[in-house]
Amino acid sequence: MHLRFVIIILCFFSLFIVHPEKLILTNKKVAKVGDKYIIKSDVDSEVYKTNVTYDIALRKIINNELLYMAASISVEEPNDKEINSALYDDKFYYASMVGKDVNSVKDYEFLKAINTSAQTITDYKVTLRKRLMINKYIEKISEAVNLKSYYPSDEEITKYIKENPDLFSEKEGAELSMIYFSFYDKNGVMINDENKKLKRDNSLLCIKDITDDNFTQLALKYSDDLITLSAKPVGRLGKIYFDDPTILNRFGSEIIKIFKDSGAGVLKRTFDTKDGIFIFKIDSKIKPYFYPEKDARRMASDYIKYNTISEEKKKIYNEKLKELERKFGVEVY
């Protein structure tokens, strides 16, 4: 009897014991940057958060560690005001994506939504401090790019306009606002037929009462689209171009033809798709337009200069990473 009792107790406690092979696998060292080890669970977490391959996630972590080590000895640490400002910006972005006021976002809700390993806002501020220091360091090394006196030649400008004609014209399109009744829940799972019927009933109630003047009010009441809900004015989708493959794929050729044939204002009907139901308002029509040559050449010059500076910054960034790797040492196991 005593032996059976001991066995039961041992079995009970075994439920709470982390098996050594699982612990070793999770905490397996996969790389070393300077004196800091990177463990497999860190890389797995980055893969999950950013949806990239394991190798890309590992390289990103290695690069960030190199940049942080360099930043720690060459830039000033951010103060509390800078950290709190970055925290507010992150919360504001999250709030805009879910259609909330930033002041109503709770700390635990925010941390859970962004898939961070931080358990508290204090922990997250440590991550922000590191991120801000890396950004400051990148800004510092980017100062080496000084192309203020660089101007593209006439030949470069002419060639750029010829190779990128879409940048110097407006295609036919429209500026839209929309109300969207989604057939998916917040977890991305398609709702059942009963709930789809409720969405259709609500869309019919909405279209019955809608006008140009109350469109924003009804968008706030009915729409499931988080991006347009956070737009100003609420419901604004923005400019679309009728020959854009992305727009054609999303709305279909029949809806695009209706946009082409309709004038400004609310389209007094609903549009059913496999993903949900739309109600649209055409805020304005966009007519095809070609920029005058003088304006096109000025724009082309700005584009070329921006692209050149970006390429130079990228080159310096990559060279600096190689230099830091030689300085601090990187081992991948």
Side-chain angles (χ1 to χ4, degrees):
M1 190 71 176
H2 176 71
L3 181 59
R4 287 180 63 191
F5 178 75
V6 171
I7 291 172
I8 291 170
I9 292 296
L10 288 173
C11 290
F12 176 78
F13 278 107
S14 71
L15 296 174
F16 301 93
I17 296 173
V18 178
H19 293 285
E21 64 272 16
K22 291 184 180 179
L23 187 62
I24 291 169
L25 185 62
T26 303
N27 293 328
K28 180 183 176 183
K29 297 172 183 176
V30 293
K32 183 182 180 185
V33 182
D35 294 328
K36 179 177 175 61
Y37 286 102
I38 297 169
I39 59 175
K40 186 176 183 299
S41 59
D42 292 335
V43 185
D44 291 339
S45 176
E46 186 66 27
V47 169
Y48 176 75
K49 286 189 291 184
T50 58
N51 195 30
V52 297
T53 65
Y54 181 90
D55 289 343
I56 291 174
L58 176 58
R59 175 44 60 179
K60 181 179 178 181
I61 294 173
I62 289 172
N63 289 349
N64 281 342
E65 289 299 334
L66 288 169
L67 292 168
Y68 179 63
M69 288 176 180
S72 298
I73 56 179
S74 60
V75 300
E76 290 185 8
E77 291 192 12
N79 55 41
D80 289 343
K81 184 178 179 180
E82 291 173 304
I83 293 172
N84 288 331
S85 177
L87 175 60
Y88 179 86
D89 289 343
D90 286 357
K91 278 191 170 184
F92 184 86
Y93 177 75
Y94 165 72
S96 67
M97 294 301 293
V98 297
K100 282 190 169 186
D101 184 286
V102 65
N103 296 315
S104 69
V105 175
K106 305 297 183 185
D107 289 348
Y108 67 85
E109 172 195 355
F110 168 71
L111 294 173
K112 182 179 179 182
I114 63 173
N115 293 320
T116 178
S117 58
Q119 299 296 312
T120 65
I121 285 295
T122 301
D123 294 337
Y124 186 67
K125 284 184 177 181
V126 173
T127 302
L128 283 178
R129 174 183 167 277
K130 185 174 181 177
R131 188 176 83 194
L132 289 171
M133 289 186 70
I134 290 173
N135 289 344
K136 283 185 177 184
Y137 182 72
I138 292 174
E139 287 177 13
K140 181 179 179 180
I141 63 175
S142 296
E143 289 172 0
V145 179
N146 185 5
L147 295 173
K148 290 182 180 179
S149 60
Y150 166 73
Y151 291 96
S153 66
D154 286 342
E155 291 77 12
E156 287 178 293
I157 290 172
T158 300
K159 181 182 178 184
Y160 192 84
I161 292 173
K162 185 177 180 180
E163 292 177 349
N164 302 277
D166 290 350
L167 295 176
F168 308 101
S169 64
E170 285 273 11
K171 296 183 177 182
E172 185 182 11
E175 189 155 24
L176 294 180
S177 293
M178 73 178 194
I179 299 173
Y180 178 50
F181 302 81
S182 177
F183 287 162
Y184 293 87
D185 64 20
K186 292 181 179 180
N187 297 314
V189 178
M190 184 166 281
I191 58 179
N192 59 33
D193 290 342
E194 183 180 350
N195 284 321
K196 285 182 183 179
K197 183 180 182 303
L198 287 175
K199 295 283 186 178
R200 287 193 179 91
D201 291 344
N202 282 335
S203 71
L204 294 174
L205 286 173
C206 182
I207 202 68
K208 180 182 176 183
D209 298 330
I210 202 164
T211 65
D212 287 357
D213 293 332
N214 68 7
F215 190 92
T216 295
Q217 180 183 348
L218 292 180
L220 281 168
K221 180 178 180 179
Y222 288 110
S223 188
D224 296 316
D225 186 72
L226 299 179
I227 295 176
T228 55
L229 278 174
S230 63
K232 291 183 180 180
V234 172
R236 178 65 58 85
L237 177 64
K239 291 181 180 180
I240 67 155
Y241 298 99
F242 298 148
D243 64 349
D244 184 339
T246 304
I247 296 299
L248 278 167
N249 184 58
R250 183 175 187 187
F251 297 134
S253 58
E254 291 184 14
I255 293 179
I256 296 299
K257 185 178 185 306
I258 292 171
F259 291 160
K260 285 183 178 182
D261 297 341
S262 302
V266 173
L267 303 182
K268 290 288 287 184
R269 56 161 289 184
T270 59
F271 296 84
D272 283 43
T273 69
K274 61 182 176 62
D275 296 320
I277 302 166
F278 292 92
I279 294 174
F280 294 105
K281 177 164 77 81
I282 298 177
D283 298 302
S284 62
K285 300 294 286 286
I286 300 171
K287 295 180 179 179
Y289 173 79
F290 295 91
Y291 290 99
E293 184 179 0
K294 182 179 179 181
D295 292 340
R297 296 188 72 81
R298 175 185 54 77
M299 292 167 63
S301 178
D302 290 342
Y303 282 131
I304 294 169
K305 191 169 184 178
Y306 174 81
N307 292 339
T308 302
I309 290 172
S310 297
E311 284 299 315
E312 285 297 312
K313 286 184 176 181
K314 184 178 178 181
K315 182 179 176 182
I316 289 175
Y317 174 82
N318 289 330
E319 288 175 352
K320 179 59 69 174
L321 281 174
K322 291 178 181 177
E323 177 188 323
L324 295 175
E325 190 164 335
R326 291 192 296 269
K327 179 177 180 179
F328 295 114
V330 173
E331 297 177 37
V332 178
Y333 306 126

